[in-house]
Amino acid sequence: MVKSGVILLALATSALALPTRLMDTLVQYIFGTTLELPKPEIGWTDPRLNGGQFLDFTTPRYGEPLNVIISNRSDPFILTDAGFRLYYKSIGFSEECLGLHYGHVHKADLGDGDSKKSEHILARQYYFPKWGTCWESIAGGNHFRAWKQNGSEIDTGAWFLAVSKEMDSTKNHMIIPDGYNIGRDFLVEAAASVSHWNGRWWQADVEWRRGLLEPGYKGINHAIAQDGRIAILTVNRL
């Protein structure tokens, strides 16, 4: 019912050319939400246009926020799997300790026609050369899961990331208080600075968006509130 209502309102916006602010007010009044209506974007597609969402599926009922998007207007090299792995090394992340996966495999629906699909990449904070992510697995720290929007119906090639900061292994890697915001901000700060790896240099432009993800803790794994902001990164090759 809600999905049908949003579609009808979106059609009304287009047909009547009503101001976006007015339509957002109507959405808030009818559905009790601060979310914006989904609309066409440049460099990525809003998952909500095709039944997706900005939460992954940690459990059938709860998820973690997809709080960073790397736009397809970025350096084409980092939109490839191999290039993305080199890029995230430049901002302080790397593959899991010894290549072994710890924790649950999360799924996400990016609205690209592939429905819920398993995480493409799980990367952890790289504290120091050699075994750096092994220390993160023990002591805790920042990590992210990534999915590529490259489905059978929509293929933008953009990366969608769920970033957070977690506790140490004795706490079963629970997310720390405010960990979704803290983890996201750590990654964004690193991306906005000049980074480099193997002779390649990058720096990201950052656009902060509200209205795509409901702030608070409703539906959020561990009932940890987040501020609803999503960072859209355009990573430029220098």
Side-chain angles (χ1 to χ4, degrees), residues 170-186:
T170 65
K171 305 294 193 304
N172 296 316
H173 296 292
M174 289 281 290
I175 305 301
I176 68 169
D178 202 32
Y180 297 117
N181 296 334
I182 291 171
R184 176 203 60 204
D185 292 351
F186 174 88

Side-chain angles (χ1 to χ4, degrees), residues 35-143:
L35 296 179
E36 298 175 354
L37 288 173
K39 62 182 186 298
E41 304 286 351
I42 298 175
W44 55 283
T45 295
D46 189 328
R48 299 174 299 159
L49 285 169
N50 198 27
Q53 62 181 41
F54 283 97
L55 289 178
D56 72 12
F57 294 89
T58 311
T59 73
R61 294 182 59 192
Y62 300 105
E64 301 191 347
L66 302 177
N67 48 17
V68 174
I69 299 171
I70 298 180
S71 159
N72 70 8
R73 302 172 72 191
S74 300
D75 174 14
F77 178 69
I78 74 162
L79 299 177
T80 68
D81 289 5
F84 184 51
R85 292 178 191 278
L86 291 183
Y87 172 67
Y88 65 66
K89 288 178 186 292
S90 80
I91 58 172
F93 293 85
S94 192
E95 292 78 23
E96 290 197 274
C97 177
L98 302 178
L100 301 175
H101 179 71
Y102 301 93
H104 300 293
V105 173
H106 294 202
K107 297 180 181 291
D109 186 346
L110 304 184
D112 58 5
D114 285 354
S115 189
K116 298 177 184 177
K117 53 185 176 183
S118 298
E119 62 202 42
H120 195 73
I121 288 171
L122 172 56
R124 298 186 181 278
Q125 188 173 353
Y126 192 65
Y127 280 100
F128 42 78
K130 294 185 179 181
W131 315 102
T133 57
C134 294
W135 181 250
E136 194 280 343
S137 296
I138 297 170
N142 298 284
H143 71 296

Side-chain angles (χ1 to χ4, degrees), residues 160-233:
F160 285 67
L161 279 57
V163 194
S164 59
K165 185 172 184 177
E166 63 186 8
M167 299 180 185
D168 61 46
S169 58
T170 65
K171 305 294 193 304
N172 296 316
H173 296 292
M174 289 281 290
I175 305 301
I176 68 169
D178 202 32
Y180 297 117
N181 296 334
I182 291 171
R184 176 203 60 204
D185 292 351
F186 174 88
L187 185 147
V188 170
E189 182 178 355
S193 304
V194 176
S195 65
H196 64 93
W197 192 266
N198 282 359
R200 295 179 173 88
W201 296 72
W202 296 278
Q203 186 173 25
D205 295 326
V206 184
E207 176 192 1
W208 288 102
R209 291 284 299 274
R210 294 184 183 272
L212 303 173
L213 175 66
E214 194 79 56
Y217 60 84
K218 183 179 179 181
I220 303 294
N221 197 33
H222 307 302
I224 294 173
Q226 45 78 41
D227 62 15
R229 296 196 305 159
I230 294 177
I232 315 296
L233 304 182

Side-chain angles (χ1 to χ4, degrees), residues 150-162:
N150 62 346
S152 57
E153 297 177 15
I154 296 173
D155 184 3
T156 68
W159 290 103
F160 285 67
L161 279 57

